[in-house]
Amino acid sequence: MSAISLKNLDISYQSKKVVRDVTFDVAEGESFALVGESGSGKSTVLKAIAGLAPDWTGEISILGQARSHKVDRDVATRCQMVFQDPYGSLHPRKSVDTVLSEPLLIHGLGNRNSRVIDMLAAVGLDQRFRFRFPHQLSGGQRQRVAIARALMLEPKVMLLDEPTSALDVSVQAEILNLLKRLRREQGLSYLMVTHNLPVVSFMCDRMAVMNKGRIVEIAPASALHDGSFTDPYSQSLYAASGGNPDRKEMA
Amino acid sequence: MTAPLLSVENLRVSFPTPAGRADVVKGLSFDLGRERLGIVGESGSGKSMTGRAILRLIRRPGHQSADRMMFDGLDLTTLSEREMRKLRGARISMIMQDPKFSLNPVMTVGDQIAEALRTHERLARKDVGARVIEMLHSVRINEPERVVRLFPHEVSGGMGQRIMIAMMLIPQPDLLIADEPTSALDVSVQAQVLDLIDELVRNKGMALILISHDLNLVARYCDRILVMHSGKVVESCAAKDLHEATHPYTRGLLAAVPRMEETRDELPVLDRSAWSGT
Ligand SMILES: Nc1ncnc2c1ncn2[C@@H]1O[C@H](COP(=O)(O)OP(=O)(O)O)[C@@H](O)[C@H]1O
Ligand SMILES: Nc1ncnc2c1ncn2[C@@H]1O[C@H](COP(=O)(O)OP(=O)(O)O)[C@@H](O)[C@H]1O
Ligand SMILES: [Mg+2]
Ligand SMILES: [Mg+2]
């Protein structure tokens, strides 16, 4: 069974098609990247899976279960999304405690107090942050809260949309380490959008390269070591990212 | 050696806080020849304030001071505001991160570039038009005759940034300050825009200050690098030696960047307590 399975997925906004014929599987426990220029449709693919872009045709299944076009509460317990901008995705007047308790409340889950305390510890946030508001947190702390919120319902599949693009490199390193550890500890599968190829090399097993709404190539992350891409667009993306300077020096 | 183009000594920028004035640039000194200098550091380290202070663009309640700020024989600390305005754009230009905030939304692209040129040079109208088209060509904009009639919202991010560059370079300044000029752009467009800045800087023998949070990017496009941390330069080195940097903060930053061929299971994180923390 795959964590995520997409078949011939077309996605439109206001009847304008922006994603065409996307087909790939993310294996259980796998970390899979979607890369490509802005506007190529990466976020749209994640949104369709999460139910935030309802105008699609084709097949989407999550952990073997096909998703419908409707709001699907059941999907939320299996699959959650984390956005790029922790400033925009957290409500400014809700405390960390409220943000983390809410999903439990909505899904009628108990033990909320201890679950919040445990989750803060799991994402490396001191308990003193529990009653703070977003503006009282740094960018990295906010992204930890966003990750904690996504994990509250103990989903098995995480959709990560540029989770570290707004962060400084040192904070990015902390968040990437956290995501890697959580995946290992909780047996998660990741579908991660990024424009940063070295982040793919650190975090992912495979990647799909998107261009103008289509997937042009699916490659193992090891293709980043030597640039062994087959599609010209993937090759140009790799070159624009500077290639692999460590190998250039050896050559 | 001849006198440097820009010489800065003990530059300070401060802002009022509830606990009194706080320095965000804390006594920066450097000399700049006709070379490409990178200023790199994490957000909040004072890079943008340094760039703005060179142009004396720190707005109230911010305050700047320097023991010395000489640009090509001119004392920037004593020039009148009127003289500074003449200097800005004409001899020192600045490209900001987001063209959307730097371009005038109600003026066509052509009119804005023409205005940039006219404020610094007296030219006949038809010559202005020709220079604008030529400049758009040199920043690799196709069909410049069509583009001059567009408004900023009608162009893509990458094209907007190229238009900004055209506007900043058309008066042929001696120094270009580029503050995160490509951070809002895609990697593929980033490389094009930086290659373009690089080519124009080299061809015209200009000096460049490239401000960025991206260590590898400044290493690629600069000759020399200043590493800033909380308002101070913690390390200065030749760009080619960046990877042999010795300061623990620089080393920590470098180590935290994932590599194209990543073999580490965990990325080393900065021990913030060692540098008073950000
Ligand atoms: N809510 C929306 N309504 C209409 N068009 C949209 C919407 N969101 C994105 N688009 C368009 O869909 C295309 C793909 O966007 P997106 O998936 O956000 O790309 P990426 O994440 O790769 O940058 C773009 O052309 C974008 O302008
Ligand atoms: N208007 C302001 N009032 C108070 N502090 C400010 C203001 N503008 C900037 N700062 C502070 O100055 C410091 C340096 O800012 P900046 O030069 O923009 O950093 P960088 O460009 O390196 O990210 C930051 O800590 C920032 O919070
Ligand atoms: Mg996106
Ligand atoms: Mg800045």
Side-chain angles (χ1 to χ4, degrees):
Chain A
M1 184 178 57
S2 299
I4 299 171
S5 175
L6 307 178
K7 277 204 194 75
N8 310 114
L9 185 62
D10 285 10
I11 314 168
S12 306
Y13 292 112
Q14 291 98 40
S15 68
K16 185 171 173 264
K17 210 173 264 188
V18 300
V19 168
R20 284 166 204 272
D21 200 25
V22 163
T23 299
F24 64 80
D25 274 42
V26 179
E28 250 187 296
E30 189 179 23
S31 175
F32 189 97
L34 268 183
V35 303
E37 281 176 58
S38 61
S40 58
K42 306 179 299 294
S43 299
T44 300
V45 171
L46 298 202
K47 284 185 196 160
I49 300 168
L52 302 170
D55 191 359
W56 54 266
T57 61
E59 281 173 47
I60 301 177
S61 16
I62 300 159
L63 296 166
Q65 252 174 289
R67 87 150 291 145
S68 71
H69 285 78
K70 294 191 289 271
V71 178
D72 192 339
R73 259 201 194 175
D74 205 37
V75 170
T77 63
R78 285 176 285 140
C79 174
Q80 282 280 329
M81 184 154 168
V82 174
F83 298 87
Q84 165 176 3
D85 179 11
Y87 303 73
S89 69
L90 294 177
H91 193 292
R93 283 192 288 279
K94 285 184 182 168
S95 71
V96 172
D97 185 64
T98 308
V99 163
L100 300 189
S101 308
E102 246 171 15
L104 301 174
L105 219 84
I106 292 169
H107 286 83
L109 298 171
N111 251 341
R112 290 194 285 274
N113 202 35
S114 67
R115 283 185 199 228
V116 168
I117 290 172
D118 291 349
M119 187 54 73
L120 285 174
V123 299
L125 275 176
D126 197 277
Q127 297 297 327
R128 71 195 151 96
F129 293 114
R130 184 170 165 196
F131 296 100
R132 288 210 189 164
F133 291 88
H135 72 269
Q136 297 169 314
L137 303 172
S138 71
Q141 289 162 347
R142 277 184 258 222
Q143 198 55 294
R144 285 178 197 267
V145 173
I147 292 166
R149 173 180 59 184
L151 288 172
M152 285 314 288
L153 297 174
E154 300 177 8
K156 283 293 164 203
V157 179
M158 293 276 274
L159 307 171
L160 306 164
D161 195 352
E162 310 249 14
T164 60
S165 303
L167 305 174
D168 273 317
V169 289
S170 65
V171 185
Q172 164 171 281
E174 293 172 17
I175 299 294
L176 293 178
N177 286 340
L178 169 68
L179 287 168
K180 209 167 185 177
R181 174 168 64 75
L182 291 170
R183 175 175 158 225
R184 193 171 56 227
E185 287 174 0
Q186 309 194 9
L188 303 172
S189 310
Y190 289 161
L191 175 56
M192 175 159 142
V193 167
T194 178
H195 63 269
N196 187 322
L197 297 182
V199 166
V200 175
S201 185
F202 179 69
M203 284 286 294
C204 303
D205 308 307
R206 286 190 301 154
M207 79 192 99
V209 183
M210 281 190 83
N211 183 21
K212 300 193 177 112
R214 292 178 189 275
I215 288 180
V216 298
E217 179 167 2
I218 293 178
S222 60
L224 297 169
H225 300 178
D226 54 2
S228 57
F229 291 95
T230 53
D231 181 83
Y233 177 78
S234 320
Q235 286 163 351
S236 71
L237 199 67
Y238 182 72
S241 300
N244 181 356
D246 297 327
R247 290 222 175 174
K248 265 181 221 157
E249 274 160 30
M250 279 186 272
Chain B
M1 207 182 106
T2 51
L5 182 64
L6 176 71
S7 174
V8 175
E9 241 177 77
N10 196 21
L11 175 66
R12 289 178 182 275
V13 178
S14 64
F15 284 96
T17 71
R21 287 200 86 83
D23 281 355
V24 298
V25 177
K26 302 171 181 165
L28 209 73
S29 302
F30 66 91
D31 282 349
L32 177 76
R34 299 217 172 241
E35 61 179 328
R36 303 170 304 163
L37 178 73
I39 300 184
V40 69
E42 295 196 279
S43 57
S45 57
K47 306 182 296 296
S48 293
M49 291 302 143
T50 301
R52 297 183 66 88
I54 294 169
L55 282 166
R56 280 201 7 217
L57 282 173
I58 302 295
R59 290 204 196 91
R60 280 166 180 273
H63 180 262
Q64 69 178 94
S65 70
D67 290 353
R68 179 184 154 86
M69 207 156 70
M70 292 293 287
F71 172 74
D72 201 17
L74 296 167
D75 185 349
L76 298 185
T77 61
T78 58
L79 287 189
S80 71
E81 187 45 41
R82 204 168 143 259
E83 289 167 316
M84 272 313 289
R85 267 202 303 275
K86 262 178 69 189
L87 196 83
R88 288 184 204 122
R91 302 207 54 203
I92 309 180
S93 281
M94 185 149 171
I95 300 176
M96 314 265 199
Q97 176 166 355
D98 195 338
K100 280 191 211 81
F101 296 115
S102 317
L103 294 173
N104 183 341
V106 297
M107 225 170 145
T108 64
V109 164
D111 286 347
Q112 298 192 46
I113 302 175
E115 193 182 77
L117 179 59
R118 258 192 240 107
T119 41
H120 303 295
E121 228 176 297
R122 282 176 172 280
L123 280 171
R125 175 179 265 216
K126 69 170 198 320
D127 296 334
V128 171
R131 280 275 292 278
V132 168
I133 300 284
E134 181 195 318
M135 195 65 216
L136 285 173
H137 261 303
S138 72
V139 296
R140 315 249 161 66
I141 283 178
N142 298 325
E143 305 180 76
E145 294 81 2
R146 183 180 66 83
V147 172
V148 288
R149 290 194 297 271
L150 299 179
F151 286 92
H153 73 270
E154 296 174 301
V155 305
S156 68
M159 198 192 275
Q161 202 58 317
R162 272 180 262 191
I163 291 167
M164 268 298 292
I165 295 171
M167 221 167 103
M168 292 301 135
L169 293 186
I170 201 165
Q172 310 202 341
D174 300 285
L175 168 60
L176 177 67
I177 302 174
D179 187 357
E180 309 263 7
T182 59
S183 300
L185 304 177
D186 273 312
V187 217
S188 53
V189 188
Q190 246 181 44
Q192 288 168 19
V193 168
L194 287 166
D195 286 341
L196 182 68
I197 292 179
D198 195 53
E199 185 189 314
L200 297 171
V201 164
R202 285 163 183 269
N203 288 349
K204 299 202 165 30
M206 291 163 47
L208 172 72
I209 297 181
L210 178 63
I211 295 173
S212 173
H213 65 281
D214 187 331
L215 291 130
N216 289 317
L217 189 134
V218 293
R220 250 166 102 185
Y221 288 97
C222 296
D223 306 306
R224 201 152 60 86
I225 295 175
L226 304 179
V227 182
M228 277 187 82
H229 176 64
S230 67
K232 289 191 195 129
V233 172
V234 296
E235 180 149 17
S236 151
C237 65
K240 62 175 176 20
D241 300 331
L242 179 65
H243 286 266
E244 280 88 58
T246 53
H247 191 280
Y249 177 71
T250 316
R251 296 218 59 82
L253 277 189
L254 282 168
V257 183
R259 302 193 188 120
M260 230 11 135
E261 184 165 3
E262 191 53 81
T263 51
R264 296 170 295 180
D265 204 36
E266 202 177 309
L267 297 169
V269 300
L270 281 180
D271 176 9
R272 289 175 189 286
S273 60
W275 306 277
S276 70
T278 26

